[in-house]
């Protein structure tokens, strides 16, 4: 069950705020009955929803993966006029939203979907979805630093959960791969700052069962069917029928696959 205004927005009727207005003003019916209550929950797969008598058709569920560059904000729009990740995606008929955020100065794997239930479950703390980052820091990540990361770091908002740490390179600049299950604001940077190891570069390389692979910075691709099923099953959802986005008035070429290329459709940026 999902909130009615959310279902309408995901179906492409209008923005969430505009959909709330349509409900309050009495333009929306569910199973033939007018609904004016915000927060009213519906099952979009089994109930008939209409706006001014016109049936609302639910969008097919789609998912895109972007290798986000730095210097982009992970929002649909930005009041400060900064570049958003949406400008890196192709024009599609479905209304896509980022699944969570990556900081302005963080790069790597960012998912987009129009499936609100999937998004909520992937981001809910109780799901413990693993996120893997490759971190370049100033200084050496010694045995004591690795122990503290593995046991948890005391931050201003509490102790972090244990992380899985692998040192890839030691030196004046060290490279570490770290896996965490939490999603606190700028958590990885704050964890290393607490160890006096300033982060120079931060890139997310995996989110749950989905890996970034060899996708180039600024490129996007669809998930392949196996990834699609794995992502839904990771949050205990039955996978809907596999689908790719609708590209209005555009033919999308399928690049030749090689052993090094990620599966799925990919941009030619």
């Amino acid at each position: 069950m999902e909130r009615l205004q959310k279902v309408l927005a995901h179906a492409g009727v209008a923005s969430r705020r505009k959909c709330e207005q349509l409900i309050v003003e009495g333009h929306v019916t569910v199973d033939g009955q007018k609904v004016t209550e915000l927060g009213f929950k519906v099952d979009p797969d089994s109930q008939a929803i209409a706006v001014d008598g016109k049936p609302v058709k639910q969008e097919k569920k789609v998912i895109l993966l972007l290798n986000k560059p730095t210097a982009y904000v992970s929002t649909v729009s930005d009041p400060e006029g900064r570049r958003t990740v949406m400008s890196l995606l192709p024009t599609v008929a479905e209304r896509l939203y980022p699944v969570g955020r990556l900081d302005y100065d963080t790069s790597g794997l960012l998912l987009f979907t129009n499936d609100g239930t999937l998004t909520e479950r992937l981001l809910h703390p109780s799901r413990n979805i693993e996120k893997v980052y490759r971190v370049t820091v100033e200084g050496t990540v010694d045995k004591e630093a690795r122990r503290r990361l593995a046991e948890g770091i005391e931050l201003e908002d509490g102790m972090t959960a244990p992380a899985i740490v692998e040192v890839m390179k030691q030196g004046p600049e060290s490279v570490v791969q770290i896996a965490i299950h939490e999603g606190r604001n700028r958590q990885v940077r704050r964890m290393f700052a607490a160890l006096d190891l300033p982060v120079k570069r931060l890139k997310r390389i995996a989110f749950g069962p989905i890996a970034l692979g060899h996708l180039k910075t600024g490129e996007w691709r669809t998930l392949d069917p196996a990834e699609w099923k794995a992502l839904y099953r990771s949050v205990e959802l039955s996978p809907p029928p596999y689908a790719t986005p609708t590209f209005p008035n555009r033919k999308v070429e399928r690049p030749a696959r090689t052993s090094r290329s990620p599966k799925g459709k990919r941009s030619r940026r």
Side-chain angles (χ1 to χ4, degrees):
M1 303 288 285
E2 297 185 75
R3 292 188 299 276
L4 179 57
Q5 60 265 40
K6 186 175 179 181
V7 171
L8 294 174
H10 284 162
V13 171
S15 68
R16 183 82 64 88
R17 183 170 297 179
K18 178 63 176 178
C19 289
E20 291 176 350
Q21 182 181 345
L22 291 172
I23 293 170
V24 171
E25 293 177 353
H27 295 277
V28 183
T29 60
V30 177
D31 293 333
Q33 301 297 313
K34 185 180 294 185
V35 174
T36 57
E37 173 192 345
L38 292 180
F40 186 86
K41 291 190 175 182
V42 297
D43 181 351
D45 295 322
S46 64
Q47 292 182 284
I49 304 168
V51 176
D52 292 329
K54 297 180 180 179
V56 174
K57 183 179 179 182
Q58 294 300 305
E59 291 181 333
K60 62 185 179 182
K61 307 301 184 185
V62 298
I63 306 172
L64 288 181
L65 183 160
L66 172 72
N67 186 349
K68 174 193 173 294
T70 58
Y72 283 81
V73 291
S74 300
T75 56
V76 174
S77 60
D78 181 63
E80 298 178 25
R82 294 172 296 178
R83 296 181 297 181
T84 78
V85 289
M86 305 306 294
S87 66
L88 298 168
L89 298 183
T91 300
V92 299
E94 294 78 18
R95 292 171 59 88
L96 299 181
Y97 302 87
V99 178
R101 297 187 179 187
L102 287 179
D103 296 333
Y104 184 77
D105 47 1
T106 299
S107 64
L109 191 159
L110 185 62
L111 295 174
F112 297 79
T113 186
N114 58 347
D115 190 332
T117 301
L118 175 65
T119 297
E120 288 179 1
R121 292 206 182 188
L122 286 171
L123 299 179
H124 199 281
S126 67
R127 295 289 169 179
N128 290 322
I129 298 299
E130 184 178 81
K131 280 81 71 173
V132 183
Y133 297 85
R134 184 167 295 134
V135 194
T136 301
V137 300
E138 295 180 9
T140 300
V141 185
D142 59 21
K143 184 177 180 180
E144 175 63 13
R146 297 196 298 272
R147 181 191 67 78
R148 290 181 63 188
L149 289 167
E151 293 181 357
I153 300 289
E154 183 68 43
L155 302 177
E156 61 270 22
D157 52 354
M159 182 73 74
T160 66
I164 301 173
V165 182
E166 180 182 358
V167 177
M168 316 295 291
K169 175 187 173 183
Q170 289 277 32
E173 283 189 6
S174 299
V175 180
V176 178
Q177 187 165 294
I178 182 170
I180 62 174
H181 294 90
E182 298 171 290
R184 305 189 204 182
N185 183 44
R186 299 180 70 84
Q187 179 176 338
V188 174
R189 293 180 185 275
R190 291 192 291 136
M191 290 170 71
F192 282 95
L195 300 172
D196 294 321
L197 295 168
V199 171
K200 296 195 68 177
R201 288 181 294 278
L202 180 60
K203 182 175 187 176
R204 185 159 67 189
I205 59 175
F207 188 105
I210 309 301
L212 184 61
H214 300 286
L215 194 65
K216 294 180 180 179
T217 301
E219 285 192 342
W220 58 269
R221 67 176 178 90
T222 61
L223 302 189
D224 67 27
E227 290 174 316
W228 175 278
K229 292 178 181 178
L231 187 63
Y232 275 94
R233 288 171 178 167
S234 71
V235 290
E236 300 179 313
L237 285 174
S238 297
Y242 176 74
T244 56
T246 303
F247 301 92
N249 304 317
R250 176 183 173 188
K251 292 183 178 179
V252 177
E253 298 179 8
R254 290 181 179 271
R257 291 184 181 177
T258 68
S259 59
R260 290 178 57 83
S261 298
K263 298 177 181 178
K265 281 186 256 185
R266 189 171 65 177
S267 73
R268 299 174 65 86
R269 291 181 59 86

